[in-house]
């Protein structure tokens, strides 16, 4: 609802609570992107950006009809990360989908919380530690149906209330530091197939430099529909298809590769990111995305993550990544 000016037009941020998006919602994003320059970016908050929009674009109507804008009052503060496999990982301690939905509903029902900064971030960790990004308030699973907020363990409903109470406390205090668990670096789900706890499979892929276009998005939606699954975005700008039958994984992976997505954890694209670059940002001093693409052919995936930036602002720099290009 609040668009941002960029060199290539207006930019819209579409928040996906817990990184969740259905096939129908993906098609709505593709429709919205066709109002602009047809560039959709995955963000480090497991959400989407639609670029190059003209003034007066009917964006709100498209997103609302798809259920992607459930609250106009709280839209900027619906920043909730979750594990992309949400209770399905072998190391998961609890299912978290319902808790994430309850947190979002309670957040949107509290008028006072419209005062939160749009950068304030919640996360819900299923116990596997695969959020991929630090948050300001974190709910961590410690057992089925039991969660921790701060140092206190409690059932799910109380955990939601405690997280919102912690957020309310920030309305009259200095903006808090990100909560990095135990001082460890943020972990993320690797590319490729993962055997879920229920013997089904989750398959994770990565768009090159976190960009998609409408045809690719529609083809991805068709793939999701064909396999009766759902897509999850992560803070490390990956997409994960959940609950796949093991026998279907090779054909699904082939489909993702044909769409240009990376599923190989040994690819040089893994761990590589870039800012919007020339044509999208007036501050960019060179074609940073072309430079990053050339680097993908040279680097080893075991190397430290790299972020290519076209100016000193270093927009989009992931936590722990080496800054390149400036």
């Amino acid at each position: 609802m609040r668009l941002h000016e960029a060199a290539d037009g207006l930019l819209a941020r579409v928040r996906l609570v817990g990184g969740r998006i259905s096939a129908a919602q993906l098609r709505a994003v593709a429709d919205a992107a066709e109002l602009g320059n047809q560039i959709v970016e995955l963000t480090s908050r497991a959400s989407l950006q639609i670029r190059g929009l003209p003034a007066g674009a009917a964006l709100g109507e498209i997103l609302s009809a798809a259920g992607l804008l459930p609250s106009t009052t709280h839209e900027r503060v619906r920043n909730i990360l979750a594990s992309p496999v949400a209770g399905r990982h072998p190391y998961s301690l609890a299912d978290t989908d319902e808790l994430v939905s309850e947190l979002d509903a309670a957040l949107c029902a509290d008028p006072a919380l419209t005062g939160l900064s749009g950068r304030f971030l919640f996360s819900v960790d299923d116990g596997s530690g695969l959020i991929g990004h630090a948050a300001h308030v974190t709910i961590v699973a410690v057992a089925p149906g039991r969660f921790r907020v701060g140092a206190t363990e409690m059932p799910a409903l109380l955990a939601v209330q405690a997280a919102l109470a912690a957020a309310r406390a920030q309305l009259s205090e200095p903006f808090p530091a990100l909560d990095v668990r135990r001082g460890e670096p943020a972990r993320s789900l690797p590319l490729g197939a993962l055997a879920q706890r229920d013997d089904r499979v989750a398959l994770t892929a990565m768009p090159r430099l976190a960009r998609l276009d409408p045809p690719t998005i529609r083809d991805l939606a068709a793939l999701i529909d064909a396999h009766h699954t759902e897509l999850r975005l992560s803070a490390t700008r990956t997409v994960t298809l959940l609950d796949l039958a093991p026998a279907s994984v090779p054909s699904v992976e082939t489909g993702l590769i044909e769409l240009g997505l990376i599923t190989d954890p040994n690819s040089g694209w893994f761990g590589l990111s870039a800012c919007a670059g020339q044509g999208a940002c007036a501050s960019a001093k060179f074609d940073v995305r072309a430079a990053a693409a050339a680097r993908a052919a040279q680097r080893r995936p075991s190397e430290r993550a790299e972020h290519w930036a076209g100016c000193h602002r270093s927009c989009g720099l992931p936590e722990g990544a080496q800054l390149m290009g400036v």
Side-chain angles (χ1 to χ4, degrees):
M1 299 298 291
R2 182 181 298 180
L3 304 186
H4 304 264
E5 291 187 7
D8 57 345
L10 297 176
L11 180 149
R13 295 191 173 113
V14 183
R15 288 168 174 82
L16 307 178
V17 168
R20 301 171 68 174
I21 188 167
S22 68
Q25 290 172 333
L26 278 170
R27 293 187 182 97
V29 169
D31 291 343
E34 288 178 339
L35 300 175
N37 62 9
Q38 306 201 33
I39 293 175
V40 177
E41 296 173 328
L42 282 64
T43 77
S44 63
R45 293 186 164 215
S47 290
L48 297 171
Q49 292 185 160
I50 302 174
R51 304 196 67 96
L53 293 163
L59 183 71
E61 292 86 341
I62 294 172
L63 299 181
S64 294
L68 288 168
L69 191 61
S71 172
T72 56
T73 54
H74 290 69
E75 180 266 336
R76 292 185 67 245
V77 299
R78 297 176 65 242
N79 302 306
I80 304 173
L81 293 178
S83 165
V85 286
R88 297 163 174 83
H89 194 278
Y91 297 155
S92 299
L93 297 176
D95 296 333
T96 54
D97 281 344
E98 185 175 349
L99 188 149
V100 168
S101 297
E102 290 173 351
L103 177 59
D104 183 39
L107 172 63
C108 291
D110 189 331
L113 292 178
T114 59
L116 284 174
S117 164
R119 298 185 62 81
F120 194 92
L121 186 60
F122 299 88
S123 71
V124 178
D125 185 345
D126 63 4
S128 62
L130 296 174
I131 299 294
H133 196 298
H136 298 98
V137 175
T138 303
I139 301 174
V140 183
V142 294
R146 299 286 298 178
F147 297 86
R148 186 179 73 246
V149 180
T152 306
E153 294 184 13
M154 60 199 81
L157 184 58
L158 292 181
V160 167
Q161 295 171 359
L164 295 183
R168 284 187 214 100
Q170 306 305 324
L171 295 174
S172 57
E173 297 180 10
F175 198 58
L178 293 170
D179 174 24
V180 180
R181 289 181 57 191
R182 301 183 297 276
E184 297 176 355
R187 295 172 56 226
S188 59
L189 190 66
L191 300 181
L194 170 78
Q196 299 179 180
R197 292 195 302 171
D198 58 5
D199 296 326
R200 293 182 291 181
V201 176
L203 185 58
T204 298
M206 179 186 68
R208 287 172 169 82
L209 299 180
R211 278 192 176 176
L212 295 168
D213 57 26
T216 302
I217 292 170
R218 289 198 174 92
D219 287 343
L220 188 56
L223 191 64
I224 292 168
D225 272 343
H227 293 275
H228 310 289
T229 184
E230 180 182 0
L231 198 70
R232 301 291 172 96
L233 275 63
S234 80
T236 50
R237 299 179 173 94
T238 62
V239 298
T240 298
L241 283 71
L242 299 175
D243 305 332
L244 296 170
S248 71
V249 171
S251 64
V252 175
E253 184 167 13
T254 297
L256 292 171
I257 293 170
E258 289 175 347
L259 294 180
L261 276 67
I262 306 297
T263 62
D264 180 6
N266 295 313
S267 169
W269 288 97
F270 185 68
L272 193 65
S273 59
C275 69
Q278 280 185 335
C281 176
S283 299
K285 295 178 169 43
F286 67 103
D287 190 346
V288 65
R289 301 183 71 84
R295 175 67 177 138
Q298 303 169 354
R299 68 187 296 274
R300 296 185 299 274
S302 58
E303 295 181 45
R304 181 180 173 186
E306 297 175 7
H307 181 75
W308 286 74
C311 78
H312 68 281
R313 295 170 61 193
S314 308
C315 295
L317 177 64
E319 181 181 345
Q322 181 179 359
L323 183 60
M324 308 288 287
V326 292

